[in-house]
């Protein structure tokens, strides 16, 4: 009885979006039987549509005034879908209220099943939508992808040399490498790897492919100083550390202390040693401290509406919350609630706009760091208000100091780019449709789910880079270990980069010219300058020759950047 | 499949009631009427002569299946006692307080499912579900609320009002889980419930029923005398497969 009351309370809170299912059930200290509570809530939400239909048709709430909607849903679920029935004392008035109408409710349930065309109870809510594959990132600080692949093959998994086509999750007991990120492995949906020894030891990290994009695009070099602006729970942070081979320094900020502690735990488990966690807001960081003034790369993944995330549980909660709203609107108004619905739409739009403003503020703050060169901005949203509109607002404010990194350096093989129609006019930069298309081509989008989608969560990434300022002193030679930039490039790309690096080596003057713009070099004499630059240019030549395509990604970035 | 008349009236469903475990007939009819029933049912199920509320229209006043029998509140105590004594012990009998007291007109049922008048009391609905051990659905048939009058139902099939649309038939068929057909009885009468009595192995209609109507009834309720050839027909596919 108490159980049902607690469950009804949790449902009410979910309806008002005051938490997540897991947080309110498994993470709730007041709940004694956590697993049962979680199961009841999930199942009730899964069958919410049918149960609400039964509730409506039988007019149970109108006849039994003492029953609240959420309690009624729970009791209906247990009565209709559980063989054991409602587990409460028969003397409980709420149970009696429901049992009085047992025949009617069962009849309405059968009718609802017929309406939906379900043959068994389990299929009431329709067939499962296409499930996302389980993406796994190999922690390159500990093992190489090939070693992990061999370990799984030894475990009995079958390795597919190419991903299935047409694009689909791999079938049971098979896996393959991701075609865009070479440190990523793709497993069948619902693969449970959280007890696997490789995961427990930190070699494998369960991270969605979409959330690997920002760090792969930012690709800071080994000894750089990097800030992760909204870091918790830390998957992108540990990916940055992996890419930098634990060199340099990563400053991870987050306002939520509990989540920051999760970040500390996860990154320690992943073997990252170059991360400093700060419990502050990114917007309040002082750009003049010695550490912060050395920062050259910033990764920003600010709060967004989360509209791209596919999480079945969230879907259920959203559907339930919306229905609650509709139901209360219908109950409290006489005109059918059209005005209230419109008001709710307005609120949603306002919320998106305010999120967009916050996101612009974050990136603008990032641009104030004295030595920052590259900023990666990403959201897990599908709305243009948080994506293309934010990018165009930023370009309007900060161009020509800042520009968008072109497609060639932002996952060139990834097919889905931004929406040109959402790119607004920018005086001096964007006027024609062709300009719009070029801008849209620089950013990366992912459409959630499949089969029309990309088999991952919805996502958006844009990379800004400072115009002109392209190098920092004291960069060490390129990381020669296992590939960490992780971005596969086509053959043409690799050739193009080789060309540009050799050009940079021969034209000793142009790097020198650009480097003079660097504030820190102003004090040095011209001769030492050219010596330095010739040394570094020479480095470029030798290292570019020594590296095949991928690992040299970062250095090549600067060299080819000179020519733009 | 037999034809009968009660005092020269073809509406046999009014004066008698038939289920799989008992049969009720009204008192005061001729021996011819009773002999029709006794030919088919003697020694198979008890045939009980009774009145309800002192009337002969027992088929329209009471409703039941092999699990139970429901009688209206106007039934006298003596009649109730007589029924209790005569019915097999597996059959529960219950008197129902209901505004719509002609239960035979407002409820149509077989051993698994019942259709009721949409305005039936909830309490009565619960009693129907408990006593008759059925799933109860509020439905109309061809937009007629008197479901008991306009359909005849057995565990094998059902016959409904001739103007029932195909859509309604499909809906009803999926609710009742039996095949349905729309047809008439007693030479075009659409009051099926009054004109036809049916259980799983036999049926009685008025003498006016045409042979076409009879063949439809026999088809839907699966009443033909099925000899060994019928078995072979039904099982032909599986037999051939197994030989091959």
């Amino acid at each position: 009885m108490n159980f049902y009351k607690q469950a009804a309370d949790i449902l009410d809170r979910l309806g008002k979006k005051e938490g997540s299912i897991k947080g309110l059930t498994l993470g709730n200290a007041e709940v004694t039987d956590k697993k049962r509570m979680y199961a009841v809530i999930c199942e009730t939400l899964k069958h919410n549509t049918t149960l609400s239909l039964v509730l409506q048709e039988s007019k149970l709430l109108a006849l039994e005034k003492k029953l609240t909607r959420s309690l009624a849903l729970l009791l209906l679920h247990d009565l209709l879908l559980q063989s054991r029935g409602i587990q409460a004392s028969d003397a409980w008035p709420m149970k009696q209220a429901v049992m009085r109408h047992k025949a009617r409710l069962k009849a309405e349930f059968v009718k609802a099943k017929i309406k939906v065309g379900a043959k068994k109870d389990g299929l009431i809510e329709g067939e499962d939508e296409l499930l996302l594959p389980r993406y796994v990132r190999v922690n390159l600080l500990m093992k190489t992808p090939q070693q992990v692949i061999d370990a799984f093959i030894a475990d009995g998994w079958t390795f597919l040399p190419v991903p299935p086509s047409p694009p689909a999750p791999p079938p049971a007991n098979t896996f393959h490498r991701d075609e865009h990120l070479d440190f990523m492995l793709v497993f069948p949906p619902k693969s449970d790897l959280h007890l696997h020894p490789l995961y427990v030891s930190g070699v494998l990290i369960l991270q969605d492919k979409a959330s690997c994009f920002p760090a792969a695009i930012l690709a800071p070099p080994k000894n750089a100083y990097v800030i992760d602006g909204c870091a918790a729970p830390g998957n992108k942070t540990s990916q940055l550390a992996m890419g930098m081979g634990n060199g340099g320094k990563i400053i991870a900020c987050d306002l939520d202390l509990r989540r920051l502690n999760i970040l500390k735990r996860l990154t320690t488990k992943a073997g990252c040693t170059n991360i400093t966690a700060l419990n502050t807001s990114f917007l309040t960081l002082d750009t003049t401290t010695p550490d912060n003034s050395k920062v050259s790369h910033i990764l920003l993944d600010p709060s967004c509406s989360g509209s791209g995330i596919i999480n079945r549980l969230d879907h259920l909660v959203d559907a339930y919350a919306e229905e609650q709203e509709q139901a209360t609107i219908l109950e409290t108004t006489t005109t059918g609630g059209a005005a209230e619905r419109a008001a709710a739409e307005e609120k949603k739009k306002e919320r998106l706009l305010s999120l967009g403003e916050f996101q612009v503020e974050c990136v603008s703050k990032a641009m104030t760091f004295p030595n920052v060169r590259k900023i990666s901005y990403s959201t897990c949203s599908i709305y243009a208000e948080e994506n293309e509109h934010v990018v165009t607002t930023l370009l309007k404010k900060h161009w020509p100091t800042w520009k968008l990194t072109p497609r060639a350096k932002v996952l060139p093989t990834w097919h889905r780019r931004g929406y040109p129609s959402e790119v607004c006019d920018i005086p001096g930069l964007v006027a024609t449709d062709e300009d719009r298309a070029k801008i849209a081509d620089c950013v990366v989008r992912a459409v959630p789910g499949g089969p029309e989608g990309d088999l991952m969560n919805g996502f958006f990434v844009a990379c800004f880079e400072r115009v002109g300022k392209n190098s920092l002193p004291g960069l060490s030679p390129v990381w020669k270990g296992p590939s960490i930039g992780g971005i596969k490039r086509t053959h043409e790309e690799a050739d193009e980069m080789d060309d540009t690096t050799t050009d940079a080596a021969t034209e000793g003057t142009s790097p020198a010219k650009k480097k003079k713009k660097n504030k820190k070099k102003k004090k040095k004499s011209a001769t030492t300058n050219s010596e330095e630059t010739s040394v570094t240019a020479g480095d470029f030549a030798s290292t570019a020759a020594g590296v095949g395509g991928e690992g040299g990604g970062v250095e090549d970035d600067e060299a080819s950047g000179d020519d733009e | 499949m037999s034809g009968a008349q009660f005092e020269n009236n073809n509406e046999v469903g009014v004066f008698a009631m038939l289920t799989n475990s008992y049969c009720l007939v009204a008192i005061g009819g001729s021996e011819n009427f009773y002999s029709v029933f006794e030919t088919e049912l003697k020694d198979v199920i008890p045939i009980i002569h009774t009145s309800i509320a002192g009337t002969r229209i027992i088929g329209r006043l009471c409703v039941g299946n092999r699990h139970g029998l429901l009688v209206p509140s106007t039934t006298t105590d003596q009649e109730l006692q007589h029924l209790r004594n005569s019915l097999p012990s597996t059959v529960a009998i219950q008197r129902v307080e209901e505004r719509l007291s002609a239960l035979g007109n407002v409820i149509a049922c077989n051993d698994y499912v019942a259709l009721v008048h949409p305005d039936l009391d909830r309490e009565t609905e619960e009693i129907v579900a408990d006593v008759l051990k059925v799933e109860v659905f509020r439905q109309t048939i061809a937009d007629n609320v008197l479901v008991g009058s306009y359909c005849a139902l057995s565990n094998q099939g059902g016959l409904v009002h001739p103007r029932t649309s195909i859509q309604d038939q499909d809906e009803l068929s999926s609710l009742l889980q039996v095949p349905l057909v729309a047809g008439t009885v007693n030479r075009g009468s659409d009051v099926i419930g009054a004109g036809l009595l049916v259980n799983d192995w036999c049926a009685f209609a008025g003498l006016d029923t045409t042979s076409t109507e009879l063949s439809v009834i026999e088809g839907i309720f699966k009443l033909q005398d099925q000899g060994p050839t019928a078995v072979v027909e039904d099982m032909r596919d599986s037999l051939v497969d197994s030989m091959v």
Side-chain angles (χ1 to χ4, degrees), chain A residues 268-333:
Chain A
T268 321
K269 183 169 141 200
C272 309
T273 52
N274 58 348
I275 299 178
T276 312
L278 296 177
N279 182 13
T280 77
S281 161
F282 172 70
L283 294 172
T284 60
L285 283 182
D286 182 0
T287 60
T288 57
T289 66
D291 274 348
N292 288 351
S293 47
K294 290 194 208 138
V295 165
S296 59
H297 290 70
I298 298 184
L299 185 120
L300 279 178
D301 192 73
S303 335
C304 64
S305 61
S307 48
I309 302 270
I310 296 187
N311 180 343
R312 272 198 88 203
L313 296 182
D314 281 350
H315 259 203
L316 299 177
V317 175
D318 284 341
Y320 177 70
E322 210 174 295
E323 214 181 304
Q324 286 287 75
E325 236 180 271
Q326 302 284 15
T328 44
I329 286 176
L330 281 172
E331 281 165 28
T332 54
T333 70

Side-chain angles (χ1 to χ4, degrees), chain A residues 334-562:
Chain A
T334 46
T335 54
E340 282 79 355
R341 270 193 281 275
E345 278 296 308
E346 272 300 307
K347 265 204 320 198
K348 191 174 159 199
K349 279 222 174 294
E350 270 173 39
R351 188 170 160 252
L352 279 182
L353 282 175
S354 74
L355 278 172
E357 279 164 19
F358 170 70
Q359 287 147 0
V360 168
E361 215 186 308
C362 272
V363 182
S364 300
K365 165 79 186 183
M367 289 172 173
T368 61
F369 282 78
N371 272 315
V372 68
R373 279 186 304 135
K374 225 170 158 191
I375 300 176
S376 146
Y377 166 71
S378 53
T379 67
C380 44
S381 164
I382 49 172
Y383 295 127
E385 285 89 343
E386 299 176 276
N387 299 339
E388 283 89 352
H389 293 184
V390 166
V391 168
T392 38
T393 313
L394 288 165
L395 284 176
K396 270 191 207 158
K397 276 184 169 182
H398 298 283
W399 190 79
T401 331
W402 286 86
K403 65 176 169 75
L404 280 177
T405 315
R407 176 176 180 153
K409 281 182 263 175
V410 177
L411 292 187
T413 53
W414 182 255
H415 57 287
R416 200 181 293 274
R417 318 305 289 194
Y419 299 148
S421 51
E422 297 287 355
V423 178
C424 320
D425 279 346
I426 302 171
L429 184 61
V430 174
T432 65
D433 281 339
E434 204 190 296
D435 294 333
R436 265 187 268 275
K438 265 202 286 186
I439 294 284
D441 203 41
C442 298
V443 303
V444 163
R445 254 185 186 270
V447 165
E452 309 87 33
D454 301 313
L455 286 182
M456 62 172 84
N457 287 329
F459 219 73
F460 175 87
V461 187
C463 186
F464 294 94
E465 61 182 16
R466 204 186 275 273
V467 173
K469 232 190 240 202
N470 283 323
S471 57
L472 268 186
L475 286 168
S476 65
V478 70
W479 174 241
K480 285 215 178 78
S483 65
I484 48 166
I487 303 167
K488 283 203 162 67
R489 297 183 196 266
T490 58
H491 287 303
E492 303 85 64
E493 275 289 306
D495 288 347
E496 187 191 285
M497 281 186 308
D498 282 344
D499 285 341
T500 54
T501 50
T502 46
D503 283 348
T506 51
E507 294 173 21
T509 50
S510 59
K513 272 192 213 152
K514 295 281 164 74
K515 282 178 172 54
K516 276 189 187 151
K517 286 190 193 165
N518 194 322
K519 283 182 202 159
K520 297 215 167 158
K521 298 247 189 239
K522 271 182 194 157
K523 302 209 175 104
K524 302 201 177 146
S525 65
T527 47
T528 46
N529 220 357
S530 50
E531 265 172 32
E532 255 191 71
T533 53
S534 54
V535 165
T536 47
D539 272 349
F540 284 169
S542 56
T543 54
V547 169
E550 299 175 47
V554 214
E555 302 299 309
D556 295 335
D557 171 27
E558 297 147 59
S560 46
D562 291 349

